[in-house]
Amino acid sequence: MTGAPVLNQNHLFLPSKTPLGCLETSSRSKEQESLSLLKRCRNMEELKQVHAHILKLGHFCDSFCAGNLVATSALSAWGSMDHACSIFQQINEPGTFVCNTMIKGHVKAMNWDKALLLYCEMLETGVEPDNFTYPVLLKACAWLLAIEEGMQIHGHILKLGLENDVFVQNSLISMYGKCGELELSCTVFEQMDQKSVASWSAIIAAHANLGMWCECLMLFGDMRREGWRAEESTLVSVLSACTHLGALDLGRCSHGSLLRNISALNVIVQTSLIDMYAKCGCLEKGLCLFQKMNKKNQLSYTVMISGLAVHGHGRKALELFSAMLQEGLAPDAVAHLGVLSACNHAGLVDEGLRCFNRMKGEHKIQPTVQHYGCLVDLMGRAGMLKEALQLITSMPVRPNDVIWRSLLSACRVHKNLEIGEIAANMLFQLNSQNPSDYVVLSNMYAQAQRWDNMARTRTEMASKGLTQTPGISLVEVKRRVYKFVSQSHHQCDGVCKMVHQMEWQLRFEGYSADTSQVLLDVDEEEKRERLKYHSQKLAIAFALIHTSQGSPIRIVRNLRMCSDCHTYTKFVSMIYEREITVRDRNRFHHFKDGNCSCRDYW
């Protein structure tokens, strides 16, 4: 009987010799039987049979029965929103429950605009919304980024006196957060008399949506101090914050919380953990989690390939890409971007070109400007500046500022002022407001000792009100993240003394400051003084003071590391016997025993 249709399992449709009086049942009993049949439906064919049965018995006019029919069609995993709409249109006076069900169904089916239109119809026909209407409706506004509609709905909530409903409040926090209105999110959160775990999750996610990672971790700390146990969605936001800040210890704590509170981690959470470990410098742990996954999907492979890429393991990334293809998972544009990035960081020019051609030929994926940008960067790093320029001029898509900036950066490394000026001029024609473009060009003029050109570039930069982005380094010590800014040594005497001590020991071992990195027309002593207080050196000094002997140091930078800091960190790793990991914008350097994993290629 297991495979038989629902109605064939019911005695109502079997011939009976029972006396007529025994077949007489109450209307209520038949209605309950119909609802029981609805609950047992497993597909649309069975649902349509039950629908016909309800019509035959004349129970469709009953709002409760019709509402359950709509709910089964709209909300079941196998349901049909089109069928639900056809049922809904036959109901003469749909009540709040049925309208709420339809709104929820539209949101589930990602028909967010239809959900809002149905709400308008509710108001026009006099159907009064309730506290179950608004959480789903606000979710639709969040997906549509419809802030104006969301604020109008907030006004309706206030008029109906539902502003103190915790589910409605949580939905408002989430909606405002996803629409980028953080101040309004915080206002709703602060005005809540009774918060729930979901309230904390929503406000943390609102900060994460705007990339306010430090604030995410601060809120998470407040939540734990108030005795709340974080749920899965909260910990995913915290993991994102740890990933961006390079806060490995806090990420490990979040991982532990997930294992203690959740019996089985889903693929999304597992992938988030892999991403966190890889981007916090602990690639081995990320690989271990990836290998233990029972079911890997396209995103899992893509995250792991990108993780190998930022650590400079180009060959391993290519091997993993091949394994992904062997599993029958079709790579998308993002996966190919990860592979190109892996070739880029490892200097695998031929392999990168082959991957690019296969993407177009075998996988029929049209390269985006990001793919071309990766290829230009790959050629530029390898010194193929003329070839990179030729590729840019022959691209079927218009090159953006990122592509020209990659070429300009490569020209600075390889000291090609001629092509560098072409790249810079194209950036200026695109009305670049990035101060680094002017800084790189002026530095190239300084290297060539063309001081007039340098001064003119700096003057133009100043006239546009652009200021150079200061170097910033983040370091995690005892589960707290500390920020250091270049030339800010006057704020921390202990760090200043440690920097002096480190430099003295490094000089004794053969270190000599690379003053060519200071492109100012000043004397050598001034240049050495400026190099001494780069943010990375301040962060290392602080970590050496406040961590135990032999413990690893992990640093996250906002700008690319200069060659002097690179050499300096190699010496520190050898003299102080520390493993130092530096995330240099979009790649990692692992320093140990005086060597770096990048083999001086970055």
Side-chain angles (χ1 to χ4, degrees):
M1 293 293 289
T2 307
V6 170
L7 296 184
N8 289 349
Q9 298 177 38
N10 195 286
H11 69 277
L12 290 174
F13 297 90
L14 296 176
S16 175
K17 295 179 181 178
T18 311
L20 184 64
C22 295
L23 289 174
E24 290 178 358
T25 57
S26 67
S27 176
R28 181 66 179 164
S29 175
K30 289 182 179 180
E31 180 185 308
Q32 288 300 319
E33 255 180 303
S34 298
L35 294 176
S36 177
L37 287 171
L38 269 177
K39 289 178 182 177
R40 289 157 58 190
C41 288
R42 294 164 299 180
N43 52 53
M44 281 304 300
E45 185 180 346
E46 292 180 352
L47 177 67
K48 287 175 181 178
Q49 289 180 46
V50 176
H51 186 183
H53 173 53
I54 290 170
L55 290 170
K56 184 178 179 180
L57 294 176
H59 290 153
F60 186 78
C61 295
D62 182 274
S63 61
F64 186 69
C65 204
N68 277 275
L69 192 60
V70 170
T72 306
S73 184
L75 305 180
S76 299
W78 42 261
S80 164
M81 202 57 209
D82 288 339
H83 190 70
C85 289
S86 68
I87 299 170
F88 180 73
Q89 287 166 3
Q90 294 170 29
I91 301 173
N92 293 328
E93 294 182 4
T96 304
F97 171 75
V98 178
C99 290
N100 286 351
T101 301
M102 286 297 294
I103 290 172
K104 193 172 182 179
H106 280 308
V107 170
K108 178 177 172 285
M110 296 186 288
N111 301 326
W112 302 303
D113 51 348
K114 289 183 180 179
L116 294 179
L117 287 170
L118 184 54
Y119 174 67
C120 293
E121 288 177 21
M122 279 180 73
L123 299 178
E124 288 172 4
T125 54
V127 179
E128 187 168 311
D130 60 14
N131 58 324
F132 294 104
T133 310
Y134 291 108
V136 186
L137 200 60
L138 290 167
K139 189 175 182 180
C141 292
W143 280 108
L144 290 168
L145 300 179
I147 184 63
E148 289 185 15
E149 289 81 354
M151 292 178 79
Q152 288 177 34
I153 289 168
H154 192 174
H156 296 175
I157 289 166
L158 293 169
K159 285 180 181 178
L160 289 171
L162 299 173
E163 69 274 11
N164 292 322
D165 183 279
V166 68
F167 297 104
V168 173
Q169 289 171 319
N170 293 344
S171 300
L172 282 167
I173 294 167
S174 181
M175 183 274 294
Y176 282 129
K178 287 179 179 176
C179 290
E181 295 292 339
L182 185 61
E183 191 175 338
L184 293 173
S185 275
C186 292
T187 300
V188 176
F189 181 76
E190 289 160 6
Q191 289 176 352
M192 293 180 74
D193 294 327
Q194 290 186 327
K195 299 177 178 68
S196 66
V197 175
S199 312
W200 285 98
S201 181
I203 196 65
I204 289 170
H207 284 80
N209 185 57
L210 293 176
M212 300 177 71
W213 308 117
C214 288
E215 289 79 3
C216 279
L217 297 184
M218 288 170 66
L219 281 165
F220 182 58
D222 293 341
M223 177 184 175
R224 294 180 67 182
R225 278 189 290 275
E226 290 193 19
W228 294 98
R229 178 178 286 184
E231 59 183 15
E232 191 173 18
S233 60
T234 311
L235 291 169
V236 169
S237 292
V238 172
L239 281 175
S240 294
C242 295
T243 301
H244 285 85
L245 294 172
L248 180 61
D249 288 343
L250 281 166
R252 282 174 175 155
C253 289
S254 300
H255 187 185
S257 295
L258 283 164
L259 293 175
R260 285 192 298 273
N261 299 321
I262 299 164
S263 56
L265 303 181
N266 62 39
V267 177
I268 295 171
V269 176
Q270 288 177 308
T271 303
S272 296
L273 283 166
I274 292 166
D275 194 36
M276 183 274 293
Y277 279 112
K279 288 181 179 173
C280 285
C282 196
L283 182 66
E284 296 78 11
K285 181 65 177 177
L287 271 170
C288 182
L289 289 174
F290 177 79
Q291 288 160 358
K292 287 181 179 178
M293 287 181 75
N294 293 324
K295 187 178 181 181
K296 303 177 181 72
N297 61 12
Q298 186 190 70
L299 181 61
S300 310
Y301 271 99
T302 301
V303 165
M304 197 67 253
I305 288 167
S306 298
L308 289 165
V310 296
H311 286 270
H313 297 294
R315 298 284 180 193
K316 288 183 180 178
L318 289 171
E319 289 171 10
L320 192 60
F321 184 67
S322 297
M324 178 183 176
L325 296 176
Q326 287 170 9
E327 276 204 32
L329 294 169
D332 60 6
V334 180
H336 278 97
L337 196 60
V339 175
L340 285 172
S341 178
C343 295
N344 187 0
H345 291 310
L348 305 174
V349 180
D350 292 338
E351 292 84 348
L353 289 169
R354 275 199 295 272
C355 172
F356 186 81
N357 291 327
R358 282 182 66 188
M359 178 179 72
K360 292 193 296 181
E362 290 182 31
H363 301 293
K364 308 300 180 185
I365 296 173
Q366 286 302 314
T368 64
V369 70
Q370 286 82 12
H371 293 101
Y372 280 107
C374 212
L375 204 58
V376 168
D377 201 27
L378 172 63
M379 292 177 168
R381 287 172 188 263
M384 301 166 60
L385 300 176
K386 290 182 179 178
E387 293 86 346
L389 180 59
Q390 187 177 358
L391 174 66
I392 294 172
T393 54
S394 62
M395 281 167 47
V397 293
R398 187 186 179 193
N400 62 8
D401 60 327
V402 177
I403 287 179
W404 288 115
R405 195 167 291 121
S406 295
L407 183 61
L408 177 62
S409 181
C411 290
R412 179 187 61 82
V413 172
H414 296 286
K415 297 181 173 62
N416 190 320
L417 185 55
E418 182 184 352
I419 296 179
E421 284 183 316
I422 294 171
N425 287 330
M426 292 306 299
L427 280 165
F428 300 152
Q429 285 180 32
L430 290 171
N431 196 27
S432 169
Q433 297 298 307
N434 191 327
S436 69
D437 301 334
Y438 293 89
V439 172
V440 170
L441 182 61
S442 68
N443 288 351
M444 290 177 71
Y445 283 134
Q447 283 179 329
Q449 296 189 346
R450 289 170 56 175
W451 304 112
D452 290 343
N453 295 92
M454 174 192 164
R456 186 164 53 252
T457 305
R458 291 276 181 172
T459 301
E460 186 177 349
M461 175 181 165
S463 68
K464 292 187 175 182
L466 304 176
T467 55
Q468 186 172 354
T469 304
I472 295 172
S473 293
L474 305 176
V475 63
E476 185 184 24
V477 173
K478 297 175 183 176
R479 297 183 185 174
R480 287 189 63 186
V481 178
Y482 296 85
K483 181 169 78 172
F484 292 89
V485 182
S486 291
Q487 312 305 323
S488 64
H489 56 285
H490 58 279
Q491 296 176 352
C492 37
D493 291 335
V495 170
C496 189
K497 289 176 183 176
M498 188 64 189
V499 168
H500 283 298
Q501 180 185 326
M502 289 162 62
E503 186 156 305
W504 182 83
Q505 288 186 271
L506 263 63
R507 284 185 182 180
F508 185 75
E509 292 292 336
Y511 164 75
S512 177
D514 181 7
T515 55
S516 66
Q517 297 299 304
V518 182
L519 300 169
L520 297 172
D521 194 10
V522 295
D523 60 35
E524 288 296 304
E525 185 59 35
E526 174 67 18
K527 288 181 179 181
R528 279 193 293 270
E529 197 67 15
R530 284 180 171 272
L531 285 173
K532 187 187 294 185
Y533 299 113
H534 278 191
S535 65
Q536 182 170 318
K537 296 176 182 178
L538 297 174
I540 291 172
F542 182 82
L544 289 173
I545 295 169
H546 296 284
T547 57
S548 57
Q549 178 65 36
S551 60
I553 297 171
R554 293 181 177 85
I555 294 169
V556 176
R557 292 176 53 98
N558 68 324
L559 300 177
R560 183 178 291 184
M561 198 186 323
C562 73
S563 63
D564 179 68
C565 282
H566 194 267
T567 304
Y568 185 97
T569 308
K570 286 198 289 186
F571 272 96
V572 172
S573 71
M574 176 182 65
I575 295 166
Y576 291 88
E577 298 179 346
R578 297 289 192 106
E579 288 186 31
I580 303 172
T581 301
V582 180
R583 192 167 95 196
D584 179 4
R585 287 198 306 187
N586 55 3
R587 75 156 300 161
F588 279 90
H589 298 260
H590 297 273
F591 297 92
K592 185 179 179 181
D593 300 327
N595 296 303
C596 180
S597 60
C598 76
R599 301 181 301 279
D600 298 337
Y601 181 86
W602 88 97

